[in-house]
Amino acid sequence: MRLTASVAVVGGGVVGSAAALFLAERGEDVVVLERASGPTQASVRNAGGLRAQCRNRTERRLALASIALWRDLAARTGIDIEYRQGGNLRVALAEPTLDALAAQGVEEAEDGLATEIWDRAALRRRAPHLSARFAGAKYCATDGHANPILATWMVVNAAKAAGVRYLTGADATHLDVDGGRVRGLRATAGGEVLHVEAPTVVHAAGPWTAALAATIGVELPLTPARNAMLVSERVPPLLAEFVSSHELKVYLRQARAGQVHVGGVFTVDGTFDQRVTHAEIAHLARAVEILPELGRMRILRTWAGTLDLTPDHLPLLGTPSGVDGYLVAAGFSGHGFCLGPAIGRTVAELVTGEPTSVDVTPLHPDRFAAC
Amino acid sequence: MSADVAVVGAGAAGLRAATVAALAGLSTVLVDSYERSGGQYYRQPVSTPHLPSRTQVEGRRLVDAAYTAGVELRNSTSVWDATVSPDGGVTLRLTSGDRLSTLECRALVVATGAHERVVPFPGWTLPGVYTAGAVQALHKAHGVAVGQRVLFAGTGPLLLVAAAGTRAVEVLEASRLAQAGARHPLATAAGLWRQGERLREGLGSAWRLRRAGTPLRTGWGIVRALGDDRVEGAVVARLDADWRPVRGSERALVCDAIATHYSLVPDTDLLRLLGAAMEHRPELGGWVPSRGPLMATSVPGVFAAGDCTGIGGAGLSLVEGELAGHGAVRHVTGREPRRLPLTALRRERRFQRLYGALFTPRPGLAVLARPDTVVCRCEEVTRGSVDAAMTAGARTVSSVKAVTRCGMGPCQGRICLPAVAQLTAAGPPPEARAPLVPVPFEAVASCG
């Protein structure tokens, strides 16, 4: 089968779908190739955090834009994505950790992001449900969380409604490049070969982006990594905030349905294997050290997703030199869900040649080329 | 803690496998989540003084044989995680109440049995609706009757047997047994060959129902339960060849409880967690492990026997358990088994084929659930939400689960996902992940 489009997007997760949506809204004829029957990987396998605090400057600006876009999309579509602006709380065990957080708060204020530093007493007063062992915390009231499954499907369905064609079960196998320009791609779908002619290809296939990019000589420094999560039984409301500790390497939030989701600030690098090991489960269970109430609950289930890590844990966004029309949006290193809509809009701006709303030149994939 | 052989599930297959291993001189641990060994078919009384039934006496003998052979019985204990060690053994992580422990073994026999398939129909979540197995279990273990006028509906021999032990108002078997038997007389005769005990049990149950004046109708089924706060009646109907209710044949009847049974679904969580290769065999109950000689799965040192490998009943489970026991012994000691029960295996396999031909649920059952009928009880997901998810593009069980949360509650989809699988395209078997049963946070954190 042959088809043509003005933009072909490889990957129907949150980033690819948001890019398709904003491109279609700019009048582009967009086709999305998705290997599975819908978003099944990192877009829906994450903790659902929508956080602007405690980020690198470029990511912070993208996150601020993205959170606004998430709220706007939910309002426009009328879909309940279980968004909750419950705040984000980064707790600190040691005083120096708290000092570093305070310094970061100054930089954040320059970008218009308001945060507060809570000392031990303030933390006890404001979050009495948390363990008393913390020296303090940095709190951002405008951050929050949502249900990543509902939210990602909202973007997919909004893109479809805007006229984007989704080809599911379509596994992209070749990028067609001629004279330094991308001409389209080939995929297999249901045993058939599918040719898509498109002057622009957006590659947003998470950790699977690297293997296909390599076939046209583009080396992307992407490492797959497993991030495991666990979920408690449903319990009465305990926690409005999304809480994380880099010292204990654990983060947690309570979903609207009542389960507490626990994730880890640690990964198992170099694997696509999504089986959760006992060591990971035991590590995640240490969330009881943040929220002692968990000690009275049971772990109901676990799951894992595959992250696409870059050496600096920042995304790869832009056109690698030498392949015009080919735009990479990958390497989100665990931040893709939150950033998805803003990245999608930026991709649309880059494709149509508009000035970008956020300066993303620091994220250009060529930044590692010299190394 | 370690053992040469670990067996999970103390039903017919597990008891027999453990006994074989222990008689061969291997240290053998038999883990079971219930307080009393015996599994479902040989369920032992917990508290009641009433006279044990024939199956309970038989089960007692199997448990005694295991105990005498030196099997270490660990009851009220569940496996929540399992990993294959690099050296070929298996590590089982166990939970018993709030306590966790680890069991290392050189060979593992999985004999986790099966659970009853639940088919959602309007009103199935009302108080007073049970599975026939639960009705029988309450009766066997505690001597409790669930009602004075109980409607039994579904398919499978358990329906008849459970009904015979209670105050049944009607028994509706979806399969047209007599017609099926007449259509395949040779297969039927072969399947029933040397199944005297089963025939006696079946005919005995039918005779008891007849004497009590309870109608037994084949080719009939339940359409919906009636009642506001609890079961007060039911609408039943004749079923077509696909088990779809025939329009115009519906009638209402009064009952105070409903017991359904739509055959069984193999419990394969532990096998899938260990990465055993699976195959889809609807006539065996759904996803079952692929097996080689002596019940070996694709994972070295892991054997599987009994209903968790395909529904076949207690007779087949005993034979398979014996074979799996020999398989485990050979894996650990290298000793070749002598005298395998291969004639019995062939006989029981014929019965298994007959069972599959008669009692495999047919696609018409999927029309019973209406858009507002709850499919997943734990997460309160309706048939309408499942259909909407499928319209939106979710095609496999896992994608429906991801979109609707169907199957994400405490039962982990054991009840609802087989019903969802009837609606979706065939995908790979759902992933199994630890914990297989809920485990306490505190204990897991401190075992880190």
Side-chain angles (χ1 to χ4, degrees), chain A residues 81-96:
Chain A
I81 59 169
E82 298 182 5
Y83 174 64
R84 180 167 190 190
Q85 197 167 32
N88 184 284
L89 199 56
R90 174 68 54 89
V91 291
L93 282 171
E95 289 294 344

Side-chain angles (χ1 to χ4, degrees), chain B residues 45 47-53 56 138-144:
Chain B
S47 54
T48 53
H50 76 79
L51 224 55
S53 66
Q56 284 176 334
L138 283 169
H139 179 70
K140 270 193 194 176
H142 303 281
V144 172

Side-chain angles (χ1 to χ4, degrees), chain A residues 37 45 149-150 153 157 160 168 230 232 234 257 259 262 276 278 281-282 284-286 288 294-295 297-303, chain B residues 80-81 93 378-379 392-395 399 402-403 405 408-410 412 431 433-435 437-442 444-445 447-448:
Chain A
S37 70
R45 292 169 180 261
I149 298 171
L150 298 177
W153 277 92
N157 288 324
K160 286 179 182 171
T168 53
L230 63 79
S232 77
R234 282 183 190 213
Q259 302 90 344
V262 181
V276 181
H278 179 73
I281 298 174
L284 295 171
R286 293 185 64 195
V288 293
L294 283 176
M297 298 170 195
R298 293 188 301 169
I299 300 168
L300 183 57
R301 59 195 176 86
T302 60
W303 83 88
Chain B
W80 69 275
D81 195 2
R93 295 188 190 273
C378 305
E379 294 288 329
R395 277 190 221 129
S399 51
V403 177
R405 307 192 52 78
M408 289 194 186
Q412 288 293 281
E431 274 176 81
R433 284 181 292 244
V437 294
V439 281
F441 252 100
E442 192 76 69
V444 175
C447 80

Side-chain angles (χ1 to χ4, degrees), chain A residues 47-216:
Chain A
L50 296 178
R51 156 181 71 91
Q53 79 158 346
C54 304
R55 285 189 189 276
N56 149 288
R57 172 158 276 163
T58 304
E59 273 208 353
R60 174 163 62 246
R61 291 172 180 171
L62 284 166
L64 283 166
S66 213
I67 292 166
L69 286 170
W70 274 120
R71 299 174 59 158
D72 174 56
L73 277 169
R76 258 165 59 188
T77 57
I79 288 173
D80 180 3
I81 59 169
E82 298 182 5
Y83 174 64
R84 180 167 190 190
Q85 197 167 32
N88 184 284
L89 199 56
R90 174 68 54 89
V91 291
L93 282 171
E95 289 294 344
T97 311
L98 194 59
D99 292 344
L101 288 172
Q104 193 177 38
V106 175
E107 189 188 294
E108 288 168 342
E110 290 168 16
D111 280 330
L113 179 65
T115 62
E116 302 164 28
I117 291 290
W118 296 351
D119 62 10
R120 192 180 293 275
L123 182 60
R124 289 303 292 152
R125 197 172 61 246
R126 302 285 296 269
H129 44 290
L130 299 187
S131 158
R133 58 196 299 221
F134 295 105
K138 181 155 155 287
Y139 178 70
C140 176
T142 49
D143 284 346
H145 53 92
N147 178 326
I149 298 171
L150 298 177
T152 300
W153 277 92
M154 170 185 75
V155 178
V156 170
N157 288 324
K160 286 179 182 171
V164 173
R165 287 174 286 166
Y166 270 77
L167 299 175
T168 53
D171 198 2
T173 53
H174 295 83
L175 293 166
D176 294 324
V177 179
D178 184 25
R181 258 218 78 82
V182 74
R183 307 287 171 185
L185 54 85
R186 275 169 284 166
T188 54
E192 254 189 274
V193 177
L194 182 70
H195 285 261
V196 182
E197 280 171 42
T200 303
V201 172
V202 175
H203 205 168
W208 293 274
T209 308
L212 185 57
T215 64
I216 56 163

Side-chain angles (χ1 to χ4, degrees), chain B residues 201-214:
Chain B
E201 192 174 45
L203 292 174
S205 301
W207 168 246
R208 284 171 69 187
L209 288 171
R210 198 191 162 97
R211 212 175 43 187
T214 309

Side-chain angles (χ1 to χ4, degrees), chain B residues 44-235:
Chain B
Q44 299 296 305
V46 174
S47 54
T48 53
H50 76 79
L51 224 55
S53 66
R54 178 184 60 78
T55 56
Q56 284 176 334
V57 172
E58 233 175 272
R60 188 69 246 166
R61 265 190 226 127
L62 285 168
V63 177
D64 288 345
Y67 187 77
T68 312
V71 174
E72 184 187 334
L73 300 166
R74 294 194 63 184
N75 292 90
S76 305
T77 301
S78 305
V79 177
W80 69 275
D81 195 2
T83 39
V84 180
S85 321
D87 65 1
V90 175
T91 303
L92 296 176
R93 295 188 190 273
L94 309 175
T95 167
S96 179
D98 277 354
R99 280 172 300 119
L100 302 183
S101 58
T102 302
L103 172 60
E104 312 266 356
C105 60
R106 297 165 70 189
L108 169 69
V109 178
V110 178
T112 40
H115 60 272
E116 291 181 282
R117 182 191 308 277
V118 170
V119 172
F121 56 87
W124 76 282
T125 52
L126 279 175
V129 180
Y130 303 85
T131 64
V135 169
Q136 199 191 28
L138 283 169
H139 179 70
K140 270 193 194 176
H142 303 281
V144 172
V146 298
Q148 299 304 308
R149 289 174 63 82
V150 187
L151 169 67
F152 284 79
T155 192
L158 179 64
L159 203 59
L160 203 64
V161 177
T166 7
R167 299 203 164 89
V169 56
E170 270 191 45
V171 181
L172 309 178
E173 163 60 58
S175 183
R176 288 183 172 79
L177 302 178
Q179 277 181 27
R183 210 162 39 238
H184 308 288
L186 282 176
T188 308
L192 294 175
W193 179 251
R194 291 189 175 259
Q195 296 288 355
E197 217 154 82
R198 277 203 171 98
L199 275 175
R200 255 199 308 286
E201 192 174 45
L203 292 174
S205 301
W207 168 246
R208 284 171 69 187
L209 288 171
R210 198 191 162 97
R211 212 175 43 187
T214 309
L216 164 64
R217 300 179 208 283
T218 60
W220 279 75
I222 187 166
V223 177
R224 62 174 182 274
L226 301 173
D228 293 327
D229 306 320
R230 58 163 300 113
V231 169
E232 290 165 11
V235 173

